[in-house]
Amino acid sequence: MELKNYKTPPGVFDELLTSRNRARPGLGRLGSFLKKNSLKELNERKFSAELAIRTMGITFTVYSEGENIDREWPFDIIPRVIHEKEWKQIELGLKQRLEALNLFITDVYNDEKILKDKLIPREILASSKDYRKECRGIKPVFNTWAHICGTDLVRDGDGTMYVLEDNLRVPSGVSYMLENRNISKRILPELFEDQIILPMDDYPTNLFDTLSSISPRPLDYPEVVVLTPGIFNSAYFEHSFLAQRMGAELVEGPDLIVADDDCVYMKTVEGLSRVDVIYRRIDDLFLDPDAFNSESVLGVKGLMRAWQKGNVALANAPGAGIADDKVIYTYVPEMIRYYLDEDPILPNVSSYMCADKKQRQHVLQNIENLVVKPANESGGYGMYIGPRETKRRTAEMKRLVRSNPRNYIAQPIVNLSTVPTLCENAIEPRHVDLRPFILQGSKSYVTAGGLTRVALVRGSLVVNSSQGGGSKDTWILAQRT
Amino acid sequence: MLSRVAEKMYWFGRYIERVENTARLMIVNTNLVLDLPRVKHIWDSLIEITGARQRFNQRFIRVDERNVIKFLLDDEQISIRSSIQMARENARTTREIIPTEAWVIVNELNLFINKNKDKGVRRDGRHKFLADIIAICNELTGSLAGSMSVDIAYNFIKTGRNLERADMTTRIVDAGCLNLINPTQVETNEYENILWMNVLRSLTGYQMYRQHVQDRVNGEDVVDFLLKNRKFPRGVAHCLFEVGNCCRQLPRNDNPLRSITHAQRNIDNNDIIKLLNESHLHEFIDEVQLDLADIHSELSGTWFQFDANAPEIVEHSLPE
């Protein structure tokens, strides 16, 4: 397959090829593989990947017109490759960032030093949907609130990796990252033979260790469970996948009960059995009908009380979402300097806070060239991408920003980097981002790579699987010794 | 094992058994109609067996072959189609427990029934359709037996299967007796013989009955065989024996075992032939069915529900 006609869009960094369509240094093996195989041969590999996905039952759920549709996981066979040397730096940056974020969460629910020192205005916290007054005065084990974090990274035209957002509530995607690797080992075995691609399948073990380390009882075998909203949730596949890989019970709210001793038990055929750590995959507000949404049937009555008393560990802890707020995001580099006295290793995408009058003016004047994001949404919902929107939507967005400036930030458009992708009749560049997963408990851990999401539509920058995105395996390539 | 998961296993076992039993009933009644074309109440007795007369009357006016078959094939609650859907739903939400091979068979059965159910309505395609369903159910039971560890999950599936079986056998015996009471123009003796033969066939018991009972097929022996014989797999006594065996493998089994023993004694201590001759069998079967319902609620109260009585907290011994 000749790559002569491959055209990276101007101002965009391609992860594999230089502007003269040569493989970047060290990535020649993949480059020559693509050149050596015909389109037909590549399509055969693609076909066996799809077959594997079907027989392994890898699906995700899309909500559409009130219906849940179970779809096969969209996967592109051409991997995205990053050098280990670059990755080591990114890894340090990710650990640094999560450490600072956890210190920040402990601080805002306890001493409020960062507020008293006026680094972050108090109003921002007070007006955040994700600030939980129930968490005041709580210090979880290791001062860690976000034990599992999925951070979205993007590479701009100049080749720099930026942090686009931190997901500290219930980040998902890790099971697909692991399954992607399984598939590519099946269909591209020869590329694993003569290159060192760092393995990533130790994630479930590390997740289990992280969760065990925060158990309130010093047991060798704490009871760890995964709490799922149930089969209709879009990430149910992942919940059952992780429970299975960790050997943990997959429980739903009604399986748990908080007894008079304020401890959490699960209902088993043997009787009530104490639970030490809950990896919860439901949002804060549904956790406990006594504390939050009284109509929630997903949660467990009294769970917050049990957690506040330190009888059960919740991962991620309630209230961790405060650091997920897009406005708080803009302060993360400051936090790193403030709490760790270090320079941030990974830069933020520069952002405008609409709450600030001057910055708001700039946003409103240049809105057609900016991305505007609501502060508390995830999954790409409510996002406004200036150059692609209709006049009507632009007017509406301006109105929204004016009426509730606190709820919006704006960023210049990042020209997401591209990776060669097997399309209908050719290999074409498609935009990608990257979501590595970071664990923090008794120690920190970063996945070797992450989930690379790819916008399958030509020119599109939207990578979310619910909106036409696909995925790729991500290879961290070690230097041969 | 989580109580919710245990309950799903139990219902999975019950619903698969229900699919198979319903298919068997339909085959046998279709044959009975061919043998006794002048007997009009055969389809009516099928509705009696399902215990869903009220629901049937809401949907249909006439109790005839076409309506009854449609009802049993396609009703939202009690049909073959709804039973396989419920079985599949229970399996789908416990995917980490059910062996993949069995899960695939459940899906195949579900697809097969949904795709071909219209074939069951006409007499010419019915036999093949229903026989295929029975064959796939057997494949599933065999697959579970061959690939699933005999642990808590398997014991719950087996408990559900055997309780459902016992329940169905009592219903079929009951319907047989009701049919006898109805006046008919057919000569009684000939009719009785064909009727009981069909009762046996609907429970695949004809051959086994022949091996156990040397006499010609007659009501007393058939009912006695179906209720009391401990070796015949669809006999009530055998099913209860199996349920007891499963429950003995499970923790905290006092109350369920007590209710099972009670039901077993009730069957052992009654003279079935006498009851039949004095026309009290129907009341007795009612009693047995109440016993079965009682076993179900003991199972449920002990292992599935936690509201009834405060269950004890398990103390796990700390590892040394």
Side-chain angles (χ1 to χ4, degrees):
Chain A
M1 180 87 215
E2 281 305 314
L3 294 170
K4 263 187 298 192
N5 297 324
Y6 187 86
K7 270 206 192 74
T8 308
V12 170
F13 182 95
D14 190 86
E15 299 277 339
L16 180 68
L17 302 172
T18 64
S19 52
R20 295 151 117 198
N21 286 348
R22 294 248 175 84
R24 292 189 182 278
L27 308 187
R29 183 71 184 85
L30 179 60
S32 61
F33 171 83
L34 294 179
K35 280 181 191 151
K36 229 170 47 198
N37 282 278
S38 67
L39 184 66
K40 186 165 165 279
E41 283 164 324
L42 291 174
N43 272 325
E44 274 163 20
R45 307 247 183 176
K46 181 181 174 176
F47 182 73
S48 45
E50 283 164 359
L51 195 70
I53 287 168
R54 228 169 298 146
T55 53
M56 287 153 82
I58 310 169
T59 59
F60 76 108
T61 312
V62 196
Y63 304 112
S64 173
E65 292 153 10
E67 261 190 284
N68 291 301
I69 309 159
D70 226 18
R71 287 215 192 130
E72 277 149 29
W73 178 244
F75 173 78
D76 180 71
I77 61 166
I78 306 174
R80 182 247 194 100
V81 191
I82 299 172
H83 276 294
E84 190 188 19
K85 203 172 147 216
E86 184 190 9
W87 186 251
K88 286 286 164 225
Q89 274 307 104
I90 294 175
E91 198 177 305
L92 288 175
L94 291 168
K95 285 183 181 173
Q96 176 195 52
R97 205 172 161 93
L98 185 58
E99 204 185 332
L101 284 167
N102 274 310
L103 289 168
F104 165 73
I105 305 170
T106 305
D107 190 21
V108 295
Y109 289 125
N110 288 278
D111 305 334
E112 301 190 329
K113 278 194 299 221
I114 201 165
L115 307 182
K116 286 171 189 155
D117 290 342
K118 298 205 169 19
L119 234 77
I120 295 180
R122 201 173 274 276
E123 311 84 79
I124 287 181
L125 282 188
S127 58
S128 174
K129 274 200 295 189
D130 293 302
Y131 181 83
R132 306 261 170 272
K133 58 184 188 324
E134 295 82 359
C135 298
R136 266 188 226 142
I138 302 235
K139 287 197 170 165
V141 187
F142 308 122
N143 279 333
T144 303
W145 297 71
H147 311 87
I148 300 115
C149 173
T151 294
D152 290 344
L153 300 174
V154 293
R155 202 195 287 279
D156 201 1
D158 62 2
T160 315
M161 277 282 201
Y162 291 91
V163 174
L164 188 67
E165 58 186 59
D166 307 285
N167 295 287
L168 300 161
R169 287 177 278 192
V170 280
S172 61
V174 77
S175 57
Y176 299 114
M177 173 191 89
L178 296 170
E179 293 288 40
N180 283 355
R181 175 58 55 85
N182 279 337
I183 300 164
S184 58
K185 280 199 286 199
R186 275 198 201 186
I187 58 160
L188 304 171
E190 63 267 53
L191 293 178
F192 283 82
E193 276 163 18
D194 47 9
Q195 303 189 94
I196 304 169
I197 297 159
L198 296 189
M200 46 170 58
D201 47 14
D202 56 348
Y203 178 80
T205 312
N206 281 286
L207 176 61
F208 187 76
D209 288 349
T210 302
L211 294 170
S212 303
S213 76
I214 59 169
S215 165
R217 290 193 300 173
L219 287 181
D220 284 351
Y221 302 100
E223 185 77 65
V224 176
V225 301
V226 179
L227 175 60
T228 173
I231 189 110
F232 298 109
N233 185 272
S234 62
Y236 182 81
F237 171 83
E238 177 156 308
H239 307 160
S240 103
F241 176 96
L242 289 174
Q244 209 177 5
R245 292 294 167 95
M246 289 196 293
E249 290 281 1
L250 180 64
V251 305
E252 295 176 14
D255 293 329
L256 300 179
I257 191 169
V258 177
D260 296 339
D261 57 1
D262 288 339
C263 293
V264 181
Y265 296 89
M266 59 179 170
K267 304 167 183 173
T268 76
V269 293
E270 279 95 8
L272 293 180
S273 177
R274 173 96 182 254
V275 171
D276 298 295
V277 183
I278 301 175
Y279 177 24
R280 50 96 173 202
R281 295 294 299 250
I282 62 181
D283 288 333
D284 278 7
L285 295 179
F286 295 95
L287 272 181
D288 180 353
D290 276 359
F292 306 113
N293 186 347
S294 61
E295 277 167 25
S296 168
V297 288
L298 306 176
V300 186
K301 270 171 102 70
L303 186 56
M304 277 301 281
R305 195 174 68 239
W307 176 72
Q308 283 160 336
K309 293 206 166 171
N311 291 333
V312 68
L314 291 173
N316 289 345
I322 182 68
D324 203 314
D325 187 300
K326 302 279 189 302
V327 175
I328 297 292
Y329 157 88
T330 60
Y331 291 98
V332 177
E334 297 304 315
M335 280 177 208
I336 293 172
R337 291 190 192 95
Y338 182 77
Y339 292 113
L340 303 175
D341 196 22
E342 292 171 8
D343 281 327
I345 300 169
L346 290 172
N348 264 12
V349 175
S350 63
S351 309
Y352 304 100
M353 270 180 282
C354 299
D356 180 273
K357 197 176 165 199
K358 241 176 150 178
Q359 297 186 34
R360 183 167 65 243
Q361 286 306 333
H362 177 86
V363 170
L364 289 171
Q365 275 162 20
N366 299 285
I367 198 158
E368 276 145 341
N369 300 314
L370 295 170
V371 176
V372 186
K373 294 174 172 178
N376 301 299
E377 292 290 344
S378 59
Y381 291 100
M383 201 162 84
Y384 166 93
I385 304 173
R388 281 146 213 264
E389 309 283 358
T390 57
K391 285 212 163 116
R392 208 168 138 197
R393 180 99 166 89
T394 300
E396 191 200 338
M397 199 67 228
K398 282 184 172 174
R399 191 178 52 73
L400 284 169
V401 169
R402 280 198 194 97
S403 65
N404 187 5
R406 157 65 180 91
N407 198 36
Y408 294 95
I409 67 162
Q411 293 169 335
I413 289 161
V414 181
N415 274 323
L416 302 188
S417 58
T418 53
V419 178
T421 300
L422 188 53
C423 300
E424 197 86 15
N425 292 313
I427 293 176
E428 292 179 19
R430 290 289 182 269
H431 295 285
V432 296
D433 77 350
L434 176 62
R435 177 179 287 185
F437 295 86
I438 309 104
L439 300 174
Q440 192 183 329
S442 56
K443 48 187 190 213
S444 310
Y445 164 90
V446 180
T447 50
L451 177 66
T452 290
R453 299 186 298 176
V454 49
L456 292 173
V457 181
R458 179 182 295 169
S460 167
L461 296 171
V462 182
V463 296
N464 304 77
S465 51
S466 51
Q467 301 182 39
S471 72
K472 284 170 171 289
D473 192 12
T474 310
W475 293 357
I476 305 302
L477 200 62
Q479 213 67 284
R480 289 187 150 280
T481 47
Chain B
M1 162 166 288
L2 284 175
S3 296
R4 173 175 52 87
V5 175
E7 186 172 13
K8 286 185 187 238
M9 292 293 110
Y10 169 80
W11 281 110
F12 174 68
R14 278 199 89 138
Y15 278 118
I16 291 295
E17 184 66 23
R18 200 171 290 177
V19 170
E20 185 184 334
N21 288 339
T22 313
R24 287 188 188 285
L25 270 179
M26 286 160 76
I27 289 187
V28 169
N29 274 273
T30 305
N31 286 335
L32 189 60
V33 170
L34 298 180
D35 279 342
L36 302 170
R38 281 177 294 169
V39 181
K40 298 292 174 220
H41 57 265
I42 287 170
W43 296 110
D44 193 73
S45 72
L46 208 47
I47 295 300
E48 197 60 39
I49 290 176
T50 61
R53 182 174 298 282
Q54 214 187 343
R55 193 169 163 79
F56 180 87
N57 288 340
Q58 281 166 5
R59 281 189 58 193
F60 301 100
I61 296 166
R62 278 166 55 92
V63 184
D64 59 13
E65 175 167 349
R66 194 184 161 77
N67 286 348
V68 172
I69 292 287
K70 275 183 111 166
F71 184 62
L72 294 179
L73 280 176
D74 208 17
D75 183 72
E76 291 294 329
Q77 282 178 18
I78 61 140
S79 67
I80 284 188
R81 189 176 63 89
S82 64
S83 297
I84 183 61
Q85 265 171 5
M86 294 301 289
R88 183 174 180 272
E89 195 56 27
N90 281 298
R92 190 168 84 98
T93 43
T94 47
R95 278 292 306 279
E96 62 274 21
I97 311 276
I98 302 232
T100 308
E101 193 182 283
W103 166 242
V104 172
I105 302 174
V106 173
N107 281 320
E108 280 169 3
L109 182 56
N110 183 42
L111 289 173
F112 176 78
I113 290 172
N114 276 301
K115 201 173 145 204
N116 297 299
K117 61 180 192 295
D118 292 339
K119 292 190 183 152
V121 178
R122 288 165 49 106
R123 276 190 189 175
D124 54 357
R126 191 181 301 157
H127 184 87
K128 170 103 176 62
F129 170 65
L130 295 169
D132 283 347
I133 291 177
I134 294 169
I136 302 175
C137 286
N138 281 330
E139 185 192 353
L140 178 60
T141 311
S143 165
L144 288 171
S147 63
M148 206 170 166
S149 297
V150 187
D151 56 7
I152 294 184
Y154 190 69
N155 275 313
F156 274 112
I157 295 179
K158 216 171 148 190
T159 301
R161 179 193 304 148
N162 279 290
L163 212 53
E164 180 72 22
R165 242 181 221 179
D167 185 62
M168 186 55 91
T169 302
T170 58
R171 284 165 191 270
I172 288 173
V173 170
D174 201 20
C177 298
L178 286 179
N179 271 335
L180 275 185
I181 297 162
N182 283 318
T184 101
Q185 301 137 338
V186 190
E187 203 187 316
T188 327
N189 240 352
E190 178 203 352
Y191 170 65
E192 199 188 320
N193 191 270
I194 291 176
L195 178 93
W196 287 115
M197 260 172 36
N198 273 288
V199 165
L200 283 172
R201 287 217 173 95
S202 64
L203 295 164
T204 57
Y206 183 65
Q207 270 178 292
M208 293 303 124
Y209 171 87
R210 276 299 190 198
Q211 289 172 22
H212 284 285
V213 184
Q214 264 64 47
D215 200 2
R216 68 190 291 273
V217 175
N218 65 81
E220 286 113 347
D221 283 337
V222 170
V223 175
D224 196 64
F225 175 73
L226 290 178
L227 292 181
K228 287 195 168 187
N229 189 295
R230 292 206 170 188
K231 298 199 173 132
F232 176 59
R234 288 176 193 275
V236 176
H238 178 84
C239 294
L240 287 173
F241 175 72
E242 288 286 330
V243 172
N245 274 348
C246 292
C247 291
R248 262 185 281 280
Q249 320 285 321
L250 298 168
R252 305 187 299 133
N253 52 18
D254 279 7
N255 290 345
L257 282 180
R258 214 166 281 145
S259 65
I260 294 164
T261 312
H262 175 81
Q264 283 172 325
R265 283 217 186 106
N266 196 14
I267 291 175
D268 283 349
N269 296 345
N270 271 289
D271 185 341
I272 303 291
I273 294 165
K274 194 165 159 240
L275 287 168
L276 190 65
N277 288 334
E278 290 169 6
S279 301
H280 288 310
L281 191 69
H282 179 65
E283 288 89 350
F284 175 66
I285 300 252
D286 271 355
E287 252 177 65
V288 175
Q289 286 183 339
L290 286 176
D291 284 348
L292 295 177
D294 199 41
I295 295 174
H296 168 78
S297 38
E298 287 298 342
L299 297 174
S300 171
T302 305
W303 290 307
F304 308 152
Q305 308 295 330
F306 273 74
D307 311 320
N309 40 17
E312 65 260 44
I313 287 167
V314 195
E315 289 297 334
H316 290 290
S317 52
L318 297 180
E320 299 286 309

